[in-house]
Amino acid sequence: MTSYTILNPASERPVTTVPGTSVEETDAAITRADAAQREWRAVSPGDRARLLRAFAAEVDAHIEELAQLEVANSGHPVGAARWEAGQIRDVLQYYAAAPERLLGKQIPVAGGLNVTFAEPLGVVGLIVPWNFPMPILSWGLAPALAAGNAVVAKPAEMTPLTAMRIGELALQAGLPEHVFQVLPGKGSVVGQRLVDHPTVRKIVFTGSTEVGQQIMTGCAKHVKRLTLELGGKSANIIFADSDIERAAATAPYAVFDNAGQDCCARSRILVQRSVLDKFMELLEPAVKGVRVGDPTLGDTEMGPLISASHRASVAKYVPDDAPVAFRGSAPEGPGYWFAPTVLAPIGSDAPAYTEEVFGPVVTVTPFEDEAEAIEIANDTPYGLSGSIWTGNVGRALRVARAVETGNLSVNSHSSVRYWTPFGGFKQSGLGRELGPDALDAFTEVKNVFIATDN
Ligand code: TAP
């Protein structure tokens, strides 16, 4: 087992070292998970629910510790990190109600009755990205466990600390050993092995569209079940009849949350031309007012990027001749800082306009009318998120139906709620997570005919 060093992205100082899991160790973990799952599926629904509630309570008792770990490992502002740790607790609590409601159907047929059962799949592999290590882990983990599966999770190589601690908390809460295991290490080693191993019956992958495509190919060899949550290039559409002040005040938070390292970042602002000048005047102080800095401070709104190499890749989208309209601030000195940046006017072939930047860079593009707004919003291979600002309810619904994306907000910059379905259109993904139907993705329907005529 080789180990590697985790760096604090705000200070560039080492936080700790972590063991990198090998292929052989991954295989051994999958074998243990397979054995544990056979017992876990046999645990009565009431007891499985009780254990998930105990797991949620254990997380709740360690919110501050988890938040501080995330601040050190990922550079998330502490307020955001506390919210993220709280989301693990809430998602576990929400799906703790599911085992006792995992019902089948009775279907009367000639000469008998069909009954259906929702059977767990077996071992589920969760492959998690570095941008939201806690929430994204919980979105797959909680419904998979609730349905009676065992979970082997691979956190991102750079951000494994909270997942590893959550694995320990599961055991402390009384979950049977090996029902939930966390394997830190490389995607090309551990993640790839989860995809290739025939005992792993489903992969839940969140990450880039490029790696998602490779994983889909790998899963095809085993006809392995797959949920994909991939990239985004979402639009924030602002009509002239909206509350422009509110739209401008919240636009920075729709894209610069988590320093723009957010699949739901609304990184293309589309503004009706008649209010463009007014909107830009209002946006400038809002962007400059985003508090960027030390993530350990309670009032910090934006921290650093995750790594030096990621900062270099974000910087490529803002070359020296980029049309920078205005920028916010960022600290000098150590840390992978990047100031919030607004590009306008931007050409429709500029990489910052067409590609997912995954950093605090937003473009502003004017449109003339509703039809053009929809056309521009849909002119992307992605379809994950989006916002619409208008005072006209009919327009809000028309545009919401026409924009090809999985998650929209109207007159709000919010995005994910764990009790509503979440996922992408087009190259943003496959399948849905969260919401009341999430267990469908972690169960197979078994259909049994019982003869009544003998
Ligand atoms: P990726 O580079 O795709 O990595 C995601 C995860 O996959 C990491 O754990 C990575 O491990 C692993 N991985 C890499 N190569 C693999 C392989 N060949 N087989 C199996 N696993 C492999 O993405 P990222 O840079 O971490 O995350 C950013 C991307 O995620 C963005 O595109 C963002 O939009 C997307 N994202 C989407 C969503 C939703 S819900 N749609 C949410 C968050 C992020 P390593 O750490 O070792 O590379």
Side-chain angles (χ1 to χ4, degrees):
M1 186 180 284
T2 53
S3 56
Y4 62 96
T5 302
I6 301 292
L7 292 181
N8 180 324
S11 66
E12 305 183 33
R13 291 204 201 99
V15 177
T16 186
T17 55
V18 167
T21 312
S22 66
V23 168
E24 295 70 27
E25 288 159 343
T26 306
D27 283 355
I30 293 168
T31 302
R32 290 193 297 269
D34 189 35
Q37 192 270 334
R38 289 164 206 276
E39 293 184 17
W40 179 238
R41 67 175 294 165
V43 172
S44 74
D47 284 341
R48 223 185 296 146
R50 186 178 50 74
L51 284 164
L52 288 175
R53 283 195 292 271
F55 188 4
E58 199 65 31
V59 169
D60 189 49
H62 293 84
I63 295 282
E64 192 56 28
E65 182 195 344
L66 290 167
Q68 295 297 342
L69 265 183
E70 205 65 280
V71 172
N73 191 167
S74 305
H76 292 191
V78 66
R82 287 184 184 121
W83 179 87
E84 291 160 21
Q87 168 128 137
I88 298 234
R89 171 204 56 213
D90 294 345
V91 173
L92 284 166
Q93 190 76 38
Y94 180 75
Y95 288 109
E100 291 149 314
R101 293 164 177 77
L102 199 54
L103 307 176
K105 290 184 176 148
Q106 312 86 44
I107 307 168
V109 293
L113 176 73
N114 274 54
V115 291
T116 68
F117 299 88
E119 303 286 11
L121 303 174
V123 178
V124 171
L126 290 188
I127 303 176
V128 180
W130 49 260
N131 64 331
F132 285 113
M134 286 193 276
I136 291 174
L137 174 78
S138 72
W139 300 352
L141 175 64
L145 291 179
N149 301 285
V151 171
V152 181
K154 193 212 87 70
E157 191 183 8
M158 285 186 286
T159 58
L161 300 187
T162 47
M164 292 168 73
R165 185 71 185 113
I166 290 160
E168 293 168 0
L169 296 178
L171 288 175
Q172 274 171 231
L175 252 75
E177 265 202 310
H178 312 314
V179 162
F180 169 40
Q181 298 173 79
V182 178
L183 309 183
K186 287 185 183 300
S188 55
V189 178
V190 186
Q192 190 67 53
R193 189 59 191 148
L194 290 173
V195 171
D196 291 340
H197 199 299
T199 302
V200 177
R201 301 288 293 278
K202 165 153 189 154
I203 294 289
V204 179
F205 172 80
T206 305
S208 60
T209 296
E210 192 186 4
V211 175
Q213 286 164 337
Q214 289 172 32
I215 286 179
M216 199 171 176
T217 305
C219 285
K221 287 185 196 138
H222 302 279
V223 195
K224 191 171 288 196
R225 274 69 182 140
L226 179 62
T227 299
L228 293 175
E229 296 284 8
L230 308 176
K233 189 71 189 171
S234 301
N236 189 1
I237 309 172
I238 294 147
F239 286 96
D241 64 4
S242 66
D243 179 345
I244 308 287
E245 280 78 12
R246 250 184 86 212
T250 58
Y253 301 97
V255 57
F256 302 144
D257 183 41
N258 202 20
Q261 304 167 125
D262 181 351
C263 53
C264 290
R266 272 125 297 165
S267 55
R268 292 182 300 148
I269 300 178
L270 313 183
V271 189
Q272 197 151 20
R273 194 181 293 280
S274 58
V275 292
L276 179 65
D277 290 348
K278 182 177 174 199
F279 179 80
M280 292 301 273
E281 271 169 34
L282 293 164
L283 183 64
E284 182 165 359
V287 168
K288 291 185 172 167
V290 175
R291 288 189 292 273
V292 184
D294 183 351
T296 64
L297 302 179
D299 64 350
T300 295
E301 294 178 317
M302 190 181 123
L305 294 171
I306 189 68
S307 66
S309 67
H310 186 56
R311 179 171 61 181
S313 105
V314 170
K316 281 196 195 134
Y317 290 98
V318 190
D320 288 344
D321 60 351
V324 175
F326 39 84
R327 302 188 88 161
S329 63
E332 304 282 328
Y336 310 122
W337 304 102
F338 199 92
T341 302
V342 179
L343 301 180
I346 187 94
S348 59
D349 56 350
Y353 177 80
T354 57
E355 296 172 18
E356 183 182 42
V357 177
F358 225 53
V361 178
V362 68
T363 62
V364 181
T365 301
F367 65 84
E368 298 300 334
D369 56 17
E370 193 177 306
E372 194 187 13
I374 292 165
E375 189 186 320
I376 299 174
N378 287 339
D379 185 21
T380 167
Y382 297 113
L384 188 57
S385 181
S387 294
I388 300 162
W389 292 81
T390 175
N392 179 327
V393 176
R395 166 173 289 145
L397 283 171
R398 274 197 310 275
V399 176
R401 294 295 305 272
V403 174
E404 296 163 346
T405 190
N407 312 274
L408 277 159
S409 55
V410 174
N411 296 331
S412 162
H413 71 289
S414 71
S415 53
V416 188
R417 285 183 180 74
Y418 59 81
W419 59 97
T420 61
F422 179 73
F425 279 33
K426 301 195 281 185
Q427 291 186 26
S428 284
L430 194 66
R432 290 291 175 272
E433 294 191 285
L434 301 176
D437 302 323
L439 268 66
D440 292 352
F442 293 99
T443 51
E444 300 273 27
V445 173
K446 183 176 287 166
N447 174 31
V448 179
F449 170 70
I450 304 163
T452 52
D453 56 0
N454 54 13

